[in-house]
Amino acid sequence: MTHSVVRIVVAGGNYAGLSALKQLYATLLATPSRQANVQITMVDRRDGFLHYIGMTRGITEPEFGSRLWVPYATVDWLRDPQITIKQDRVIEIQPEFVQLAGGGRLEFDYLVVALGQSRHGPIGVAANCKREFVGELAKSYEQLRAAKSVTVVGGGAVGIEMAADIKSDFPKKAVTLVHSRALPLPGPFKDEFRSSVVRILRDEIGVDLVLGQRVVAQNPASADMMNQGEHEPESVLATASNAALTLGNGHVLQSDWAVRCLGTFDKCSVVNLPSSTDEPVFGGNGIRVKDTMQIDDPKYPNIYACGDICNRDQVKLAGVAMHGAYIAATNIARSVLSASPTLEQSARFPPKILLLLGKSHFIMQLGDEIWEREKTQQYVSDDMSLRGC
């Protein structure tokens, strides 16, 4: 390096990005000696952290939803003079710099890529500040509140929790969950777990389930069905009012409000890092990383990736993102402080998922174990673990 200040850039400021920044602060800046001559920049298009875990309940309970956005300006340790928070959108990652939508670029000595994945609205959030976010929640809530019947399309974790929160908060509404497979929740989970989810939704909460049927047509179509990639997914709503949904068997569901929860979109187009191996840097499940969270390419030992954008785990979870960020930041700090660092290795976690089905029902699979309400209760809090972030 020809410059004296070590430049660290964190691209993305949510679960992974903010966790990486916090660990960098703790190890490089919050020590009594302040031995590291570093400048750390975190860049995100938003002006705050968004607790996505609570999004479905944020739509059904806007007052609760307003608490999900925590402006960076209210976080004391982010005011450190060696930390810069830049509000801008990352449009390209090159080997030596990050290109921003506003026209600037951030050159780096170390980079943490923590850009996550994208979703269509209203689960995906287009807002850049809390005021806009609260406004988005209010619009979705009013559409939901006015509906007597609601159909949720997609039986992944988000669709399941969306249906459960709606029926729990609006018990008089007719709520239907449609999923294309015989059991909900794709992924490395046991059918016993999936069947328990079906039982809770149907028998205890009162959600109507249509399983093994795909929605083949919807009239009117929601905006996400017409988006061909010209707009960011978060800015495109996957909802429709007074919708007729035609199933594969020809049956038509009439719904006052329909919301499609059909998965995520990667950000491979942003990552412009030519591979020096036979494998691309961005694989089928995200950026390929080593156990150290470095990109799995010898050309980029100073670039780390963590959270949903990396291929570390099949099940994308906030806790896993935060753990990966801790490892990445720890290794960057060791590299800054030592010419021959010993790098930390991240742990491999068994398949895990905790489903919050309204306020009174929850179930978790951890490895091969299935934990129902009584055992899972210890991991559930009124703020949906916001304080733990």
Side-chain angles (χ1 to χ4, degrees), residues 249-271:
N249 62 5
H251 182 68
V252 178
L253 293 174
Q254 294 292 150
S255 185
D256 294 338
W257 195 63
V259 55
R260 292 158 49 89
C261 302
L262 295 176
T264 59
F265 301 85
D266 67 42
K267 297 185 177 179
C268 63
S269 62
V270 174
V271 181

Side-chain angles (χ1 to χ4, degrees), residues 224-260:
D224 66 299
M225 300 172 73
M226 297 178 283
N227 182 34
Q228 300 298 318
E230 63 270 26
H231 302 292
E232 293 294 319
E234 291 88 349
S235 66
V236 180
L237 285 175
T239 60
S241 297
N242 301 316
L245 295 89
T246 303
L247 305 180
N249 62 5
H251 182 68
V252 178
L253 293 174
Q254 294 292 150
S255 185
D256 294 338
W257 195 63
V259 55
R260 292 158 49 89

Side-chain angles (χ1 to χ4, degrees), residues 1 6-10 19-31 34-38 40 109-112 292-294 301-304 324-344:
M1 301 175 190
V6 178
R7 304 160 302 177
I8 304 172
V9 172
V10 179
S19 295
L21 182 57
K22 189 171 186 178
Q23 177 64 3
L24 289 168
Y25 167 77
T27 52
L28 295 176
L29 303 181
T31 57
R34 272 187 176 268
Q35 54 188 317
N37 186 14
V38 299
I40 308 171
D109 300 302
Y110 295 95
L111 171 66
V112 179
T292 57
M293 306 310 294
Q294 293 165 296
N302 61 326
I303 302 180
Y304 294 71
Y326 170 87
I327 298 296
T330 297
N331 288 336
I332 290 174
R334 290 180 181 181
S335 299
V336 169
L337 298 174
S338 171
S340 302
T342 299
L343 299 185
E344 190 87 7

Side-chain angles (χ1 to χ4, degrees), residues 182-379:
L183 289 172
L185 201 66
F189 305 111
K190 301 174 72 172
D191 282 351
E192 179 186 352
F193 179 74
R194 296 186 175 98
S195 295
S196 295
V197 172
V198 168
R199 172 181 53 78
I200 294 170
L201 286 172
R202 182 187 59 212
D203 301 339
E204 301 183 30
I205 300 177
V207 175
D208 294 323
L209 298 176
V210 178
L211 300 175
Q213 289 295 325
R214 189 180 301 276
V215 174
V216 296
Q218 178 180 303
N219 184 27
S222 49
D224 66 299
M225 300 172 73
M226 297 178 283
N227 182 34
Q228 300 298 318
E230 63 270 26
H231 302 292
E232 293 294 319
E234 291 88 349
S235 66
V236 180
L237 285 175
T239 60
S241 297
N242 301 316
L245 295 89
T246 303
L247 305 180
N249 62 5
H251 182 68
V252 178
L253 293 174
Q254 294 292 150
S255 185
D256 294 338
W257 195 63
V259 55
R260 292 158 49 89
C261 302
L262 295 176
T264 59
F265 301 85
D266 67 42
K267 297 185 177 179
C268 63
S269 62
V270 174
V271 181
N272 188 6
L273 299 174
S275 176
S276 66
T277 73
D278 293 335
E279 297 290 333
V281 168
F282 208 110
N285 193 35
I287 296 174
R288 296 184 301 108
V289 294
K290 305 176 184 179
D291 287 347
T292 57
M293 306 310 294
Q294 293 165 296
I295 288 184
D296 192 6
D297 188 313
K299 188 177 180 180
Y300 307 111
N302 61 326
I303 302 180
Y304 294 71
C306 49
D308 289 0
I309 198 170
C310 81
N311 72 339
R312 182 66 180 161
D313 292 274
Q314 182 178 350
V315 183
K316 309 290 189 180
L317 299 173
V320 174
M322 294 165 72
H323 171 76
Y326 170 87
I327 298 296
T330 297
N331 288 336
I332 290 174
R334 290 180 181 181
S335 299
V336 169
L337 298 174
S338 171
S340 302
T342 299
L343 299 185
E344 190 87 7
Q345 306 282 318
S346 59
R348 293 283 180 175
F349 295 100
K352 171 188 173 183
I353 193 165
L354 168 62
L355 293 176
L356 304 176
L357 307 175
K359 295 177 181 175
S360 302
H361 301 87
F362 6 89
I363 185 171
M364 180 165 71
Q365 180 176 326
L366 177 59
D368 289 331
E369 295 186 24
I370 297 173
W371 295 6
E372 295 216 23
R373 188 183 191 284
E374 292 73 17
K375 198 171 181 180
T376 306
Q377 177 74 53
Q378 61 185 306
Y379 297 102

